[in-house]
Amino acid sequence: SSCGLFCVSTNVGGVPEVLPPDMAYLADPSVESLSRGVIHTIKNGLYKIDPINFHDRVAKMYSWDRVARETVEVYNDVLSQPRLTLLERLDRYMTAGPFVGAFGCLVILTLHFWSLVVNWWQPIALIDIVPDLYPAKQKKRPKYPTEVTKSKVVKT
């Protein structure tokens, strides 16, 4: 659609959320359904659209600023959800099936107990925090930590 063409696609994934109904024909994920969609589009002249208008509409709907803003909203939404306990996570892994779920639980339990051993051996409180090399107040960050000038290296 961003190329100014009517779209025939399968009704899976994010396609229904990406394009409005007048810009795409959504078919079931099968060869027969896609074929019917192409035939329907041709017979009804749905392909006879103004490509510049289609392109302009898609360009207005999607910009890097909008995509970044929506991505941040999704991350903030995920971060605002309550953190699941270990048992709640194990319960969710078991929904993957008896074999895969049990294997996933085994892996998670192994990693969980390994992290407990590592935290006992090297407590988080004893780990030194490296100070930020470039404070937030500094407006422009140098491209490289050192600057080469006339065969001598000057630390910045």
Side-chain angles (χ1 to χ4, degrees), residues 34-100:
L34 277 170
S35 299
R36 282 192 303 272
V38 171
I39 292 168
H40 173 79
T41 300
I42 293 170
K43 281 186 177 178
N44 294 313
L46 298 176
Y47 61 92
K48 297 178 184 176
I49 45 94
D50 178 15
I52 303 297
N53 179 26
F54 254 40
H55 172 76
D56 290 344
R57 283 180 57 200
V58 171
K60 286 178 185 172
M61 285 190 292
Y62 303 102
S63 68
W64 283 114
D65 289 335
R66 179 179 174 210
V67 170
R69 187 172 47 258
E70 289 178 3
T71 301
V72 169
E73 287 174 12
V74 169
Y75 277 99
N76 286 336
D77 183 46
V78 169
L79 290 173
S80 70
Q81 301 297 319
R83 188 175 178 132
L84 297 176
T85 66
L86 177 62
L87 292 177
E88 289 170 330
R89 286 185 286 154
L90 293 175
D91 189 43
R92 284 198 180 178
Y93 296 137
M94 286 306 293
T95 63
F99 177 74
V100 174

Side-chain angles (χ1 to χ4, degrees), residues 131-142:
D132 192 5
L133 185 60
Y134 303 103
K137 293 178 183 175
Q138 186 173 339
K139 294 196 185 228
K140 187 174 180 185
R141 187 176 187 161

Side-chain angles (χ1 to χ4, degrees), residues 2-3 11 19 32 42 55-56 62 65 71 75 81 92 100 106 112-113 115-116 121-122 126 128-129 139 146 148 152:
S2 67
C3 294
N11 191 11
L19 293 174
E32 297 81 21
I42 293 170
H55 172 76
D56 290 344
Y62 303 102
D65 289 335
T71 301
Y75 277 99
Q81 301 297 319
R92 284 198 180 178
V100 174
L106 178 66
H112 178 74
F113 287 113
S115 71
L116 292 175
W121 177 54
Q122 181 67 42
L126 298 179
D128 293 332
I129 303 296
K139 294 196 185 228
T146 58
V148 179
K152 74 175 191 175

